[in-house]
Coordinates of all heavy atoms in Angstrom, one line a residue:
G1 N 23.6 -2.6 34.4 CA 23.9 -2.4 33.0 C 25.2 -1.7 32.9 O 25.9 -1.3 33.8
P2 N 25.6 -1.4 31.6 CA 24.9 -1.7 30.4 C 25.0 -3.2 30.1 O 25.9 -3.9 30.6 CB 25.5 -0.9 29.4 CG 26.9 -0.7 29.8 CD 26.8 -0.6 31.3
Y3 N 24.2 -3.7 29.1 CA 24.1 -5.1 28.8 C 24.5 -5.3 27.3 O 24.2 -4.5 26.5 CB 22.7 -5.7 29.0 CG 22.1 -5.3 30.4 CD1 21.0 -4.5 30.4 CD2 22.7 -5.8 31.5 CE1 20.4 -4.2 31.7 CE2 22.1 -5.5 32.8 CZ 21.0 -4.7 32.8 OH 20.4 -4.4 34.0
V4 N 25.1 -6.5 27.1 CA 25.2 -7.1 25.8 C 24.2 -8.2 25.8 O 24.3 -9.1 26.7 CB 26.6 -7.6 25.5 CG1 26.6 -8.5 24.2 CG2 27.6 -6.4 25.3
L5 N 23.3 -8.2 24.8 CA 22.3 -9.3 24.8 C 22.7 -10.3 23.7 O 23.0 -9.9 22.5 CB 20.9 -8.7 24.4 CG 20.4 -7.6 25.3 CD1 19.0 -7.1 24.9 CD2 20.4 -8.1 26.8
A6 N 22.8 -11.6 24.1 CA 23.1 -12.6 23.1 C 21.9 -13.6 23.1 O 21.5 -14.1 24.1 CB 24.4 -13.4 23.6
A7 N 21.3 -13.7 21.9 CA 20.0 -14.3 21.9 C 19.9 -15.3 20.7 O 20.3 -15.0 19.6 CB 18.9 -13.3 21.8
H8 N 19.2 -16.4 21.0 CA 19.1 -17.5 20.0 C 17.6 -17.5 19.5 O 16.7 -17.4 20.3 CB 19.4 -18.9 20.6 CG 19.1 -20.0 19.7 ND1 18.2 -21.0 20.0 CD2 19.5 -20.3 18.4 CE1 18.2 -21.9 19.1 NE2 18.9 -21.5 18.1
S9 N 17.4 -17.7 18.2 CA 16.1 -18.0 17.6 C 15.1 -16.9 18.1 O 15.3 -15.8 17.9 CB 15.7 -19.4 18.0 OG 14.6 -19.9 17.2
A10 N 14.0 -17.4 18.6 CA 12.9 -16.5 19.0 C 13.4 -15.5 20.1 O 12.8 -14.5 20.3 CB 11.7 -17.2 19.5
G11 N 14.4 -15.9 20.8 CA 15.0 -15.0 21.8 C 15.5 -13.7 21.2 O 15.6 -12.7 21.9
G12 N 15.9 -13.8 19.9 CA 16.3 -12.6 19.3 C 15.2 -11.5 19.2 O 15.5 -10.3 19.2
L13 N 14.0 -11.9 19.1 CA 12.8 -11.0 19.1 C 12.8 -10.3 20.5 O 12.5 -9.1 20.6 CB 11.5 -11.7 18.9 CG 11.4 -12.4 17.5 CD1 10.1 -13.2 17.4 CD2 11.4 -11.3 16.4
V14 N 13.0 -11.1 21.5 CA 13.0 -10.5 22.9 C 14.2 -9.5 23.0 O 14.0 -8.4 23.5 CB 13.1 -11.6 23.9 CG1 13.1 -11.0 25.4 CG2 12.0 -12.6 23.8
A15 N 15.3 -9.9 22.6 CA 16.5 -9.0 22.7 C 16.3 -7.7 22.0 O 16.6 -6.6 22.5 CB 17.8 -9.7 22.2
R16 N 15.8 -7.8 20.8 CA 15.6 -6.5 20.0 C 14.5 -5.7 20.5 O 14.7 -4.4 20.6 CB 15.3 -6.9 18.5 CG 16.6 -7.5 17.8 CD 16.2 -8.0 16.4 NE 15.5 -7.1 15.6 CZ 14.5 -7.3 14.8 NH1 14.2 -8.6 14.5 NH2 13.9 -6.4 14.1
L17 N 13.4 -6.3 21.0 CA 12.4 -5.4 21.6 C 12.8 -4.8 22.9 O 12.5 -3.7 23.2 CB 11.1 -6.3 21.8 CG 9.9 -5.5 22.2 CD1 9.5 -4.4 21.2 CD2 8.7 -6.5 22.4
Y18 N 13.6 -5.6 23.7 CA 14.2 -5.0 24.9 C 15.0 -3.8 24.6 O 14.9 -2.8 25.2 CB 15.0 -6.1 25.6 CG 15.4 -5.7 27.0 CD1 14.7 -6.1 28.1 CD2 16.5 -4.8 27.3 CE1 15.0 -5.8 29.4 CE2 16.8 -4.4 28.6 CZ 16.1 -4.9 29.6 OH 16.4 -4.5 30.9
A19 N 15.9 -3.9 23.6 CA 16.8 -2.8 23.2 C 16.0 -1.6 22.7 O 16.4 -0.4 22.9 CB 17.8 -3.2 22.1
S20 N 14.8 -1.8 22.0 CA 14.0 -0.7 21.6 C 13.3 -0.1 22.8 O 13.2 1.2 22.8 CB 12.9 -1.2 20.6 OG 13.5 -1.6 19.4
N21 N 12.9 -0.9 23.7 CA 12.2 -0.3 24.9 C 13.1 0.4 25.9 O 12.8 1.4 26.5 CB 11.5 -1.5 25.6 CG 10.2 -1.9 24.9 OD1 9.9 -1.5 23.8 ND2 9.5 -2.9 25.5
Y22 N 14.4 -0.2 26.0 CA 15.3 0.4 27.0 C 16.6 0.7 26.3 O 17.6 0.0 26.5 CB 15.5 -0.6 28.1 CG 14.2 -1.0 28.8 CD1 13.6 -2.3 28.5 CD2 13.6 -0.2 29.6 CE1 12.4 -2.6 29.1 CE2 12.4 -0.5 30.2 CZ 11.8 -1.7 30.0 OH 10.6 -2.1 30.5
P23 N 16.7 1.7 25.4 CA 17.8 1.9 24.6 C 19.1 2.3 25.4 O 20.2 2.1 24.9 CB 17.4 3.1 23.7 CG 16.2 3.7 24.4 CD 15.6 2.6 25.1
D24 N 18.9 2.9 26.5 CA 20.1 3.3 27.3 C 20.8 2.1 28.0 O 21.9 2.2 28.4 CB 19.7 4.2 28.4 CG 19.2 5.6 27.9 OD1 19.6 5.9 26.8 OD2 18.5 6.3 28.6
D25 N 20.1 0.9 28.0 CA 20.6 -0.2 28.8 C 21.4 -1.2 27.9 O 22.1 -2.1 28.4 CB 19.4 -1.0 29.4 CG 18.7 -0.2 30.5 OD1 19.3 0.9 30.9 OD2 17.7 -0.6 31.0
V26 N 21.2 -1.2 26.6 CA 21.8 -2.2 25.7 C 22.9 -1.5 24.8 O 22.6 -0.6 24.1 CB 20.7 -2.8 24.8 CG1 21.3 -3.9 23.9 CG2 19.6 -3.4 25.7
V27 N 24.1 -2.1 24.9 CA 25.2 -1.5 24.2 C 25.8 -2.4 23.1 O 26.8 -2.1 22.4 CB 26.3 -1.0 25.2 CG1 25.8 0.2 26.0 CG2 26.7 -2.2 26.1
G28 N 25.3 -3.7 23.0 CA 25.8 -4.6 22.1 C 24.9 -5.8 22.0 O 24.1 -6.0 22.9
M29 N 25.0 -6.6 20.9 CA 24.1 -7.7 20.7 C 24.8 -8.7 19.8 O 25.5 -8.4 18.9 CB 22.8 -7.2 20.0 CG 21.6 -8.1 20.1 SD 20.1 -7.3 19.4 CE 19.9 -5.9 20.5
V30 N 24.5 -10.0 20.1 CA 24.8 -11.1 19.2 C 23.5 -11.9 19.0 O 22.8 -12.3 19.9 CB 25.8 -12.1 19.9 CG1 26.1 -13.3 19.0 CG2 27.1 -11.3 20.1
L31 N 23.1 -12.0 17.7 CA 21.9 -12.7 17.3 C 22.3 -14.1 16.7 O 23.0 -14.1 15.7 CB 21.1 -11.9 16.3 CG 20.6 -10.5 16.9 CD1 19.9 -9.8 15.8 CD2 19.7 -10.7 18.1
V32 N 21.9 -15.1 17.4 CA 22.3 -16.5 17.1 C 21.2 -17.2 16.3 O 20.2 -17.7 16.9 CB 22.7 -17.3 18.3 CG1 23.2 -18.7 18.0 CG2 23.7 -16.5 19.2
D33 N 21.3 -17.2 15.0 CA 20.2 -17.7 14.1 C 18.9 -17.2 14.6 O 17.9 -18.0 14.8 CB 20.3 -19.2 14.0 CG 19.9 -19.7 12.6 OD1 20.4 -19.1 11.6 OD2 19.3 -20.8 12.5
S34 N 18.8 -15.9 14.8 CA 17.6 -15.3 15.4 C 16.4 -15.2 14.4 O 16.6 -15.1 13.2 CB 18.0 -13.9 15.8 OG 16.9 -13.2 16.3
T35 N 15.2 -15.3 15.0 CA 14.0 -15.2 14.2 C 13.9 -13.8 13.7 O 14.0 -12.8 14.4 CB 12.8 -15.5 15.1 OG1 12.9 -16.8 15.6 CG2 11.5 -15.4 14.3
N36 N 13.6 -13.6 12.4 CA 13.3 -12.4 11.8 C 11.8 -12.2 11.8 O 11.1 -13.2 11.4 CB 13.8 -12.3 10.4 CG 13.6 -10.9 9.7 OD1 12.5 -10.5 9.6 ND2 14.7 -10.4 9.2
E37 N 11.3 -11.1 12.2 CA 9.8 -10.9 12.3 C 9.1 -11.0 11.0 O 7.8 -11.1 11.0 CB 9.6 -9.5 13.0 CG 9.9 -8.3 12.1 CD 11.4 -7.9 12.2 OE1 12.2 -8.7 12.8 OE2 11.7 -6.8 11.8
N38 N 9.8 -11.0 9.9 CA 9.1 -11.1 8.6 C 9.3 -12.4 7.9 O 8.9 -12.6 6.8 CB 9.6 -9.9 7.7 CG 9.2 -8.6 8.2 OD1 8.1 -8.4 8.8 ND2 10.1 -7.6 8.2
V39 N 10.0 -13.3 8.5 CA 10.4 -14.6 7.8 C 9.2 -15.4 7.4 O 9.1 -16.0 6.3 CB 11.4 -15.4 8.6 CG1 10.8 -16.0 9.8 CG2 12.1 -16.4 7.7
W40 N 8.2 -15.5 8.3 CA 7.0 -16.3 8.0 C 6.1 -15.6 7.0 O 5.5 -16.2 6.2 CB 6.2 -16.5 9.3 CG 6.9 -17.4 10.2 CD1 7.5 -18.6 9.9 CD2 7.1 -17.2 11.6 NE1 8.1 -19.2 11.0 CE2 7.9 -18.4 12.1 CE3 6.8 -16.3 12.5 CZ2 8.2 -18.5 13.4 CZ3 7.1 -16.4 13.8 CH2 7.9 -17.5 14.3
R41 N 6.1 -14.3 6.9 CA 5.4 -13.5 5.8 C 6.1 -13.9 4.5 O 5.4 -14.1 3.5 CB 5.5 -12.0 6.1 CG 4.9 -11.2 5.1 CD 5.3 -9.7 5.2 NE 6.7 -9.6 4.9 CZ 7.4 -8.4 5.1 NH1 6.8 -7.4 5.5 NH2 8.7 -8.4 4.7
D42 N 7.4 -13.9 4.5 CA 8.1 -14.3 3.2 C 7.9 -15.7 2.8 O 7.8 -16.1 1.7 CB 9.6 -14.0 3.4 CG 9.9 -12.5 3.6 OD1 9.0 -11.7 3.2 OD2 11.0 -12.2 4.1
F43 N 7.8 -16.6 3.8 CA 7.5 -18.0 3.6 C 6.1 -18.1 2.9 O 5.9 -18.8 1.9 CB 7.4 -18.8 4.9 CG 8.8 -19.4 5.3 CD1 10.0 -18.8 4.8 CD2 8.9 -20.4 6.2 CE1 11.2 -19.3 5.2 CE2 10.1 -20.9 6.6 CZ 11.3 -20.4 6.1
R44 N 5.1 -17.4 3.5 CA 3.8 -17.5 3.0 C 3.7 -17.0 1.5 O 2.9 -17.5 0.7 CB 2.8 -16.7 3.9 CG 1.4 -16.7 3.5 CD 0.5 -16.1 4.5 NE 0.8 -14.7 4.7 CZ 0.2 -13.9 5.7 NH1 -0.7 -14.4 6.5 NH2 0.5 -12.7 5.8

């Protein structure tokens, strides 16, 4: 590391959780039409 995480769709959930779990390892991020954890709640 350190890493820049570039993540598409549901991969964005993985990237963000990884950065929360390992904050020292992630220094940048690109979210490519990433899934928001609340979007289905808002749809409902």
Side-chain angles (χ1 to χ4, degrees):
Y3 311 115
V4 167
L5 304 181
H8 173 240
S9 193
L13 298 172
V14 181
R16 290 172 52 213
L17 188 58
Y18 191 99
S20 289
N21 287 2
Y22 305 102
D24 294 335
D25 295 349
V26 181
V27 292
M29 197 175 298
V30 176
L31 297 176
V32 184
D33 218 38
S34 173
T35 303
N36 185 303
E37 67 276 14
N38 295 320
V39 70
W40 292 312
R41 180 195 64 187
D42 295 341
F43 275 19
R44 185 171 59 185

